[in-house]
Amino acid sequence: MPFLNPFGKYDITDFPDVYVPLAEAPRNASVVAENRRRYRASISASSDDKNEKGEKDVDLHSITGPLTVDSLKAEIETDVAASGHDSAYDRKSKVINKAIQDIGMGSYQWQLFVLCGFGWLADNLWLQGVALTLTPMGMEFGVSETNVRYTTLSVFTGLCIGAVGWGTASDIIGRRLAFNTTLFLAGVFGIAVGGGNSWIAVCGLYASLGVGVGGNLPVDGALFLEFLPFASGNLLTMLSVWWPIGQLLGSLIAWGFIPNYSCSEASTCTKANNMGWRYLNFTMGAFTFFMFVCRFFFFHLFESPKFLLSKGRQREAVGVVYGIAHRNGAKTWLTEEILNEIGGRPEDVSNMKLSAKEVLLRQAEKFSTQRIAPLFNGWKLGVTTVLIWFCWATIGMAYPLYNAFLPQYIRNVAPDQAPEPTSVVYRNYAITSIVGVPGSIIACYTVNIKYFGRKGTIALATMLTGIFVFLFTTSTDSDTQLAFTCLEAFFQNIMYGVLYAYTPEVFPAPNRGTGTGIASFFNRVAGLCAPIVAIKGSTATPKAPIYASGGLFFAAMVAMLLFPIETRGRQSL
């Protein structure tokens, strides 16, 4: 793997072999298919006579034949009308979208898929890492098993700040800087956690780590989507496959360190004989930093062409598209002249650049009534929107109520029994993580089963998840509990995989970011409340948080059964 200059910039002249004249440029099959779909939609919506239909035939030829500036303008006009924004920036950014679609999927996007997957991996790696350190850390610092759960609260606080802050910051400082900084912060503070000398210090470091980790999903997802051709949009959902891999790595590392380097009793627990949880954080932090190094030094990430356009750096934006075509071994028809022809020359238009204020206003607009109202256009879409947001909120609390404290649940099988040996606790947790990994992969196939689809798959998986959460409380035998946790993890990952696919599919494209953004917000806020519920609820009975988790999964399942829209086999709106 070559060492690359992470700050390197490229110009159009660096890629002289990728340009092809517009009239000679081959159209990507997915673009032609989308144009045909729009044409058929316009025909079906039209009630005019045959003369009007004859005029449409000309339009069909223009959108499926050789590219011209006029046909490109027609496509952009349609996209602009659907988006609700019409400025020089919007028109030019949509031209760049077309150019990337015609380049198609290639090695650049596949490499970016892996590197963006690191962000998903890191997100769950650290969520599980915190869960795995609670018991030994609490013993060393003299914090009760109940109060030590506030550590999870500190992490979720950082995650919420990171999710909001980095998503907006990437529109101001650039995708490339945000993309690399999030993993850098997570790696540095992850290593620092291992050196914490007090519980308060560790909580502070975990919160700082969360600020970095929390930015991974919004920044990586947005960046990957901007370089992704339309026809390969399902790969954004496939990024969720990296999520259980993070849990698997964390559990395997913990199984190696904590049983062998942890104290057995709180009364004799010191830093010297309780280094296991510190070794765990050192290792996860170093691995996270290694992922940052791979991103920063061994892969040249082009800055987002849309970000460059928003800053008035049009030539650089075209150079990025040339660079992608070069990396993919493809050709592109894009030139500055075409951008100027459709969006106007930079010196002649006043709305070419987006200031930091305008960026923030556009972010705020996503949550305005004007952007939210279309999500309730018709009873079917309105009901689906409410139910999806409800599902993300309930699952956002149900997941950490069970998984964030699972090592504690496994260790304390019953109040009248001795705690499970540490080696058994972390062995069982590792086995659970291994069994859960195939769930995300299987979800990609089950969603297309005839007569079952997304709705059937997600409702069944969520129901079984809730059942096995409840069954976990019925036995004090570690082997029986292991079987239930394995099955719960397997169906839980199927549930998440389908939910990640269904949510963006069901929302109309112009308001998709708003719908999914609000769903993610509800998910994070509910997750932030989960440690408080776990702490307060367990004072009455230790199993109360598990009962609450199972009940929330069942509530989500009922909502899923009520989804009025099935997206299997349908083109996204």
Side-chain angles (χ1 to χ4, degrees):
M1 198 159 34
F3 180 89
L4 301 176
N5 177 10
F7 303 104
K9 294 183 179 180
Y10 295 97
D11 188 70
I12 296 172
T13 56
D14 294 321
F15 310 104
D17 58 331
V18 302
Y19 172 71
V20 61
L22 191 63
E24 301 174 17
R27 301 239 63 183
N28 190 282
S30 65
V31 177
V32 175
E34 174 65 10
N35 287 340
R36 286 184 181 276
R37 185 191 68 81
R38 289 180 176 178
Y39 167 75
R40 293 192 188 100
S42 67
I43 288 293
S44 63
S46 174
S47 58
D48 294 334
D49 57 14
K50 289 184 177 180
N51 290 333
E52 176 64 18
K53 186 176 180 181
E55 186 178 320
K56 294 286 183 180
D57 289 338
V58 176
D59 293 337
L60 177 62
H61 174 73
S62 68
I63 62 177
T64 58
L67 257 181
T68 65
V69 173
D70 288 338
S71 66
L72 197 56
K73 279 184 177 179
E75 292 181 30
I76 300 305
E77 289 292 342
T78 303
D79 290 345
V80 166
S83 70
H85 287 289
D86 186 4
S87 66
Y89 162 77
D90 292 296
R91 289 177 175 272
K92 292 184 177 184
S93 67
K94 293 185 187 306
V95 174
I96 285 179
N97 279 348
K98 300 291 182 185
I100 291 176
Q101 287 174 25
D102 280 332
I103 290 171
M105 192 72 183
S107 61
Y108 181 81
Q109 284 91 349
W110 284 115
Q111 291 173 30
L112 194 58
F113 173 77
V114 174
L115 295 176
C116 288
F118 286 170
W120 260 253
L121 187 154
D123 191 271
N124 206 19
L125 174 71
W126 285 104
L127 281 178
Q128 304 307 319
V130 175
L132 293 162
T133 61
L134 292 181
T135 298
M137 182 177 62
M139 293 176 68
E140 180 178 328
F141 294 130
V143 184
S144 69
E145 288 236 342
T146 300
N147 288 337
V148 78
R149 294 175 180 176
Y150 281 114
T151 311
T152 307
L153 179 62
S154 68
V155 176
F156 272 96
T157 302
L159 288 173
C160 289
I161 295 171
V164 175
W166 283 112
T168 303
S170 66
D171 290 332
I172 299 173
I173 65 176
R175 307 282 195 268
R176 182 161 64 173
L177 181 58
F179 180 75
N180 289 313
T181 304
T182 51
L183 275 188
F184 174 79
L185 289 176
V188 169
F189 284 108
I191 295 172
V193 166
N197 289 319
S198 70
W199 180 50
I200 298 299
V202 169
C203 288
L205 291 169
Y206 269 135
S208 301
L209 179 151
V211 172
V213 172
N216 279 316
L217 268 60
V219 173
D220 296 5
L223 178 74
F224 188 53
L225 189 61
E226 289 182 5
F227 286 109
L228 198 61
F230 171 80
S232 302
N234 64 318
L235 280 178
L236 185 62
T237 302
M238 281 291 289
L239 280 173
S240 64
V241 171
W242 293 89
W243 174 270
I245 295 176
Q247 177 176 344
L248 175 60
L249 285 176
S251 61
L252 290 176
I253 296 169
W255 187 18
F257 282 128
I258 294 182
N260 297 312
Y261 301 98
S262 295
C263 50
S264 56
E265 294 183 8
S267 58
T268 59
C269 196
T270 64
K271 180 178 179 179
N273 64 5
N274 193 46
M275 289 295 292
W277 72 271
R278 297 179 185 273
Y279 293 151
L280 171 64
N281 281 279
F282 286 145
T283 306
M284 293 194 305
F287 182 74
T288 305
F289 197 82
F290 169 74
M291 292 191 291
F292 156 73
V293 169
C294 290
R295 280 183 173 186
F296 195 65
F297 293 110
F298 297 113
F299 174 79
H300 182 79
L301 175 69
F302 295 112
E303 182 54 271
S304 163
K306 292 183 181 178
F307 170 77
L308 294 172
L309 274 180
S310 73
K311 299 303 178 184
R313 294 153 63 181
Q314 177 173 290
R315 185 176 178 85
E316 288 182 55
V318 177
V320 166
V321 176
Y322 277 40
I324 296 171
H326 177 76
R327 292 277 286 273
N328 288 358
K331 302 286 185 180
T332 182
W333 45 260
L334 185 67
T335 64
E336 283 194 274
E337 288 71 24
I338 291 175
L339 287 176
N340 293 336
E341 185 78 18
I342 294 176
R345 295 186 174 277
E347 60 269 19
D348 297 333
V349 294
S350 58
N351 55 359
M352 178 65 197
K353 295 183 181 181
L354 295 179
S355 65
K357 180 180 178 181
E358 288 173 316
V359 169
L360 291 173
L361 286 175
R362 285 200 173 201
Q363 290 285 341
E365 270 184 21
K366 293 179 181 178
F367 303 99
S368 67
T369 53
Q370 183 181 359
R371 302 293 294 173
I372 295 175
L375 299 176
F376 297 88
N377 185 17
W379 76 268
K380 277 191 175 182
L381 182 58
V383 170
T384 302
T385 297
V386 172
L387 292 176
I388 283 180
W389 289 348
F390 175 78
C391 289
W392 276 102
T394 51
I395 292 172
M397 180 173 288
Y399 179 85
L401 274 177
Y402 181 75
N403 291 273
F405 312 112
L406 185 55
Q408 289 185 330
Y409 299 149
I410 296 174
R411 182 173 183 269
N412 302 311
V413 291
D416 56 346
Q417 287 185 222
E420 285 289 332
T422 304
S423 59
V424 174
V425 172
Y426 288 92
R427 181 206 66 188
N428 289 359
Y429 195 85
I431 294 171
T432 299
S433 302
I434 293 170
V435 174
V437 169
S440 294
I441 301 171
I442 291 173
C444 298
Y445 298 96
T446 56
V447 292
N448 291 316
I449 296 176
K450 195 174 183 180
Y451 306 121
F452 208 60
R454 269 72 160 162
K455 289 169 54 179
T457 300
I458 194 173
L460 179 61
T462 306
M463 179 186 72
L464 291 172
T465 300
I467 287 174
F468 289 117
V469 166
F470 277 119
L471 288 176
F472 176 84
T473 65
T474 63
S475 175
T476 58
D477 177 68
S478 63
D479 292 335
T480 304
Q481 287 188 335
L482 173 60
F484 292 147
T485 56
C486 286
L487 290 167
E488 185 275 339
F490 176 78
F491 289 110
Q492 177 180 261
N493 285 335
I494 292 179
M495 173 195 72
Y496 260 118
V498 181
L499 191 60
Y500 272 117
Y502 182 82
T503 301
E505 285 178 343
V506 79
F507 292 129
N511 308 94
R512 188 167 294 146
T514 302
T516 56
I518 294 175
S520 178
F521 170 77
F522 285 142
N523 183 262
R524 289 298 193 188
V525 170
L528 181 65
C529 298
I532 300 174
V533 173
I535 293 165
K536 301 301 182 183
S538 61
T539 56
T541 171
K543 293 182 179 180
I546 305 177
Y547 296 142
S549 176
L552 288 167
F553 278 124
F554 275 116
M557 180 268 296
V558 172
M560 291 164 184
L561 289 173
L562 297 175
F563 285 162
I565 297 176
E566 170 59 70
T567 59
R568 187 188 72 85
R570 287 181 48 193
Q571 181 81 28
S572 297
L573 299 175

